[in-house]
């Protein structure tokens, strides 16, 4: 009996252990993949690949037919996601301030607060709060400076422009131009242009007042809508800045999950390089434009120019656009000042030329350095292409975007040259350097030596 009981106990223990192993086995997360796909699975995968290729071709064909509807759909999605886009932009611009506050404040708080997580959150909150204050101070200061000056400038233009044009015509009539066809054409063109402008101001402008007011109402509504989107974007940017490390880790995890290690590392490297190019260019350009706007305001105040604040803001804002920005802002500003005082208008043009020389040769290189790595030719191409496709935003973002593309192309070319055991630096490919048919690089100095030796023989 004792032996039977003992055997029964042992059997019960074995069964309970086996049951425990089974429960443990099913409690664990199984691993995907086994011995490889079967032949049926391989055939199915091939058929599925062919089906997906055909389906993608059909979808692409219909997408081309419905391109207008697709663009409208993307526009609607873009409009809905505008607050999120604004939030990402604000977070990207505010991130340098947040990082600086974290670098200085976090070590101090960690010494006083035992919980490092609490010190990190408090430091991050202080950085975000400071960046939002700076953002609002800049916006409110610009509005206080710009809106009253813009109102008074437009009011002065409406009341004084006809009289200024008449005075200009009288001065031109009093000037003794040569009795030639060119002089007569200049007088006729100025008189007809002045008459047409005055007629438009007195008749067409008044008759189209209803259309102008309706468009103005729509414009005001759209401006209010953009302001609301921007305010929501600021709230979203707070959450982005608080969770930026989490988003970064999730993105890296997704990249390594979906891509091969070498491809994932390449993508992460390009993302880091793009962030470096965009951040260095945009932040540097904003600082550069603020300094230029302040210097322009100081110079115009000393020269006692009209429309000082308005012109300074125009010059500072358009200076964000590389290369063409200073001229885009200087042309309308010069016209405004010329209408008020022609002599001061000439002084303003000379002042702006000097200011832009200072910015292009001294201030800009000090702040921006070689953040893009592009030559002047490629900068012009990027601005023209970006501006033609995406307008004002394209003119600003075209340069760093093109710089990233340029870096990728350069990296691919250098990699191919290194595989062929050829030098990657462009300076080695001068007029006398070449690669022989065996793939060996011959430098210009070696070429000269070989040529001299052959001539001696």
């Amino acid at each position: 009996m004792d032996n039977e009981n003992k055997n029964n106990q042992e059997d019960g223990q074995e069964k309970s252990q086996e049951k425990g192993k089974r429960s443990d086995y099913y409690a664990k997360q199984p691993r995907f993949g086994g011995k490889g796909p079967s032949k049926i699975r391989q055939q199915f995968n091939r058929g599925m690949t062919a089906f997906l290729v055909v389906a993608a071709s059909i979808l692409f064909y219909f997408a081309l037919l419905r391109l207008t509807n697709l663009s409208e759909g993307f526009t609607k999605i873009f409009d809905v996601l505008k607050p999120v886009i604004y939030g990402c932009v604000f977070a990207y611009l505010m991130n340098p301030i947040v990082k600086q506050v974290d670098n200085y404040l976090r070590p101090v708080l960690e010494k006083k607060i035992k919980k490092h997580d609490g010190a990190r959150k408090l430091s991050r909150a202080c950085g975000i709060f400071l960046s939002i204050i700076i953002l609002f101070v800049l916006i409110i200061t610009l509005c206080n400076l710009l809106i009253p000056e813009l109102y008074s400038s437009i009011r002065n233009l409406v009341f004084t422009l006809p009289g200024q044009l008449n005075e200009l015509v009288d001065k031109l009539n009093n000037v003794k131009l040569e009795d030639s066809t060119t002089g007569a054409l200049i007088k006729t063109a100025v008189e007809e242009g002045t008459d047409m402008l005055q007629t438009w101001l007195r008749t067409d402008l008044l008759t189209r007042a209803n259309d102008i007011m309706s468009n103005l109402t729509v414009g005001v509504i759209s401006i209010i809508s953009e302001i609301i989107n921007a305010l929501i974007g600021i709230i979203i940017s707070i959450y982005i800045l608080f969770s930026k490390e989490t988003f970064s880790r999730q993105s890296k995890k997704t990249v390594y999950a979906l891509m091969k290690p070498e491809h994932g590392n390449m993508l992460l490297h390009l993302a880091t390089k793009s962030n470096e190019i965009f951040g260095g260019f945009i932040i540097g350009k904003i600082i550069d434009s603020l300094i230029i706007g302040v210097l322009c305001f100081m110079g115009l105040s000393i020269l006692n120019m009209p429309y000082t604040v308005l012109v300074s803001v125009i010059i500072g804002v358009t200076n964000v656009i590389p290369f063409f920005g200073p001229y885009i802002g200087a042309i309308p500003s010069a016209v405004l000042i010329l209408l008020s005082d022609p002599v001061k208008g000439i002084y303003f043009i000379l002042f702006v030329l000097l200011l832009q020389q200072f910015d292009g040769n001294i201030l800009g290189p000090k702040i921006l350095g070689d953040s893009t790595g592009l030559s002047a030719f490629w900068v012009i191409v990027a601005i023209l292409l970006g501006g033609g496709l995406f307008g004002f935003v394209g003119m600003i973002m075209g340069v760093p975007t093109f710089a990233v593309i340029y870096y990728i192309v350069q990296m691919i070319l250098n990699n191919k040259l290194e595989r062929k055991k050829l030098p990657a630096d462009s300076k080695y490919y001068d007029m006398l350097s070449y690669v022989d048919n065996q793939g060996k690089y011959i430098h210009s100095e070696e070429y000269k030596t070989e040529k001299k030796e052959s001539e001696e023989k």
Side-chain angles (χ1 to χ4, degrees):
M1 288 292 293
D2 293 336
N3 291 329
E4 289 180 1
N5 291 332
K6 192 174 182 181
N7 291 331
N8 291 333
Q9 289 178 358
E10 289 178 354
D11 292 339
Q13 289 178 357
E14 288 178 358
K15 289 181 180 179
S16 62
Q17 287 177 359
E18 185 177 356
K19 188 176 181 181
K21 287 180 180 179
R22 288 178 181 177
S23 62
D24 290 340
Y25 176 79
Y26 288 112
K28 294 179 181 178
Q29 182 178 344
R31 297 176 62 85
F32 286 99
K35 298 178 181 179
S38 63
K39 291 183 178 180
I40 297 174
R41 179 72 177 274
Q42 291 175 1
Q43 295 296 329
F44 177 78
N45 289 339
R46 290 172 186 171
M48 183 60 68
T49 302
F51 171 76
L52 290 175
V53 170
V54 175
S57 302
I58 295 171
L59 287 174
F60 181 72
Y61 173 73
F62 281 104
L64 291 177
L65 292 178
R66 304 291 182 183
L67 193 60
T68 305
N69 296 332
L70 287 174
S71 63
E72 291 177 357
F74 283 122
T75 303
K76 287 182 181 179
I77 294 172
F78 179 78
D79 291 336
V80 172
L81 294 178
K82 263 189 179 179
V84 179
I85 296 171
Y86 279 130
C88 294
V89 172
F90 286 139
Y92 193 78
L93 295 176
M94 288 160 27
N95 188 49
I97 301 173
V98 175
K99 287 175 67 176
Q100 290 296 325
V101 173
D102 272 343
N103 291 334
Y104 286 108
L105 190 60
R106 187 173 173 179
V108 177
L109 292 175
E110 285 179 350
K111 292 178 181 179
K112 297 182 178 180
I113 300 175
K114 293 182 179 179
K115 294 183 178 180
H116 292 290
D117 189 53
R120 183 187 65 82
K121 289 181 179 179
L122 181 59
S123 173
R124 182 63 51 84
C126 292
I128 294 172
F129 181 70
L130 179 62
S131 62
I132 291 175
I133 289 177
I134 293 173
L135 181 65
F136 274 108
V137 166
L138 288 175
I139 293 172
I140 292 170
T141 303
L142 282 176
C143 290
N144 286 334
L145 291 174
L146 185 59
I147 292 175
E149 184 72 17
L150 186 62
Y151 170 75
S152 62
S153 301
I154 294 173
R155 185 174 178 277
N156 291 335
L157 282 175
V158 170
F159 285 105
T160 62
L161 185 59
Q164 290 175 347
L165 290 174
N166 287 328
E167 290 178 4
L168 180 61
V169 172
D170 292 337
K171 289 179 180 178
L172 288 174
N173 288 329
N174 292 330
V175 174
K176 293 182 180 180
L177 292 172
E178 293 181 0
D179 190 11
S180 61
T181 307
T182 306
L185 285 173
I186 292 173
K187 281 189 176 182
T188 305
V190 172
E191 289 174 358
E192 289 183 358
T194 306
D195 292 337
M196 288 174 62
L197 183 59
Q198 289 180 350
T199 303
W200 180 79
L201 288 172
R202 293 170 183 171
T203 57
D204 293 347
L205 185 62
L206 295 175
T207 55
R208 295 180 183 177
N210 292 329
D211 295 336
I212 293 171
M213 289 304 296
S214 62
N215 292 332
L216 184 63
T217 304
V218 173
V220 170
I221 292 172
S222 64
I223 289 172
I224 292 172
S225 175
E226 294 297 325
I227 291 172
I228 293 172
N229 288 333
L231 291 175
I232 298 173
I234 291 174
I235 297 172
I236 292 173
S237 68
I238 295 173
Y239 290 99
I240 293 173
L241 289 171
F242 261 117
S243 306
K244 63 178 184 177
E245 288 86 1
T246 303
F247 292 144
S248 176
R249 295 187 186 109
Q250 289 174 347
S251 301
K252 187 178 289 187
K253 172 186 172 182
T254 304
V255 168
Y256 283 125
L258 299 178
M259 303 178 73
K260 293 181 179 179
E262 59 269 22
H263 296 163
N265 290 331
M266 179 60 69
L267 181 61
L268 293 172
H269 168 73
L270 292 177
T272 304
K273 189 67 179 180
S274 301
N275 178 55
E276 179 185 332
I277 292 173
F278 273 86
F281 177 81
I282 294 172
I283 302 299
K285 205 61 181 160
I286 290 174
I287 296 172
D288 176 61
S289 299
L290 285 172
I291 295 173
I292 290 296
V294 172
L295 292 176
C296 183
F297 175 76
M298 294 169 62
L300 295 182
S301 301
I302 294 170
L303 295 173
N304 195 23
M305 295 281 182
Y307 312 116
T308 302
V309 178
L310 179 62
V311 170
S312 300
V313 172
I314 292 173
I315 295 293
V317 170
T318 55
N319 193 70
V320 177
I321 302 173
F323 198 81
F324 294 111
Y327 305 104
I328 293 172
I331 291 171
S333 303
V335 171
L336 280 175
I337 296 174
L338 280 169
L339 289 174
S340 177
D341 191 335
V343 177
K344 288 185 178 180
I346 295 171
Y347 289 154
F348 169 75
I349 294 172
L350 295 174
F351 171 73
V352 168
L353 288 175
L354 292 174
L355 185 64
Q356 295 310 321
Q357 290 298 317
F358 168 74
D359 180 34
N361 297 315
I362 299 174
L363 183 63
K366 287 287 184 183
I367 296 176
L368 294 173
D370 193 20
S371 58
T372 59
L374 295 177
S375 62
F377 171 76
W378 292 118
V379 169
I380 295 172
V381 171
I383 294 168
L384 292 175
L385 187 61
L389 293 175
F390 304 105
F392 181 78
V393 177
M395 296 181 78
I396 299 173
M397 304 302 293
V399 174
T401 303
F402 197 88
V404 173
I405 297 171
Y406 184 87
Y407 177 78
I408 294 171
V409 172
Q410 188 180 41
M411 187 170 58
I412 293 171
L413 295 177
N414 291 344
N415 183 46
K416 289 184 175 295
L417 288 170
E418 287 173 1
R419 287 182 179 180
K420 295 178 180 180
K421 296 181 180 180
L422 296 174
D425 200 331
S426 300
K427 69 180 181 180
Y428 293 108
Y429 296 91
D430 55 10
M431 293 293 293
L432 299 178
S433 300
Y434 67 95
V435 178
D436 60 16
N437 293 333
Q438 286 72 36
K440 182 181 178 182
Y441 169 78
I442 307 298
H443 194 267
S444 57
E445 297 297 330
E446 297 175 4
Y447 175 79
K448 291 177 183 178
T449 305
E450 290 179 2
K451 188 175 180 182
K452 187 177 180 181
E453 289 177 355
S454 63
E455 288 176 353
E456 290 177 354
K457 290 179 180 179

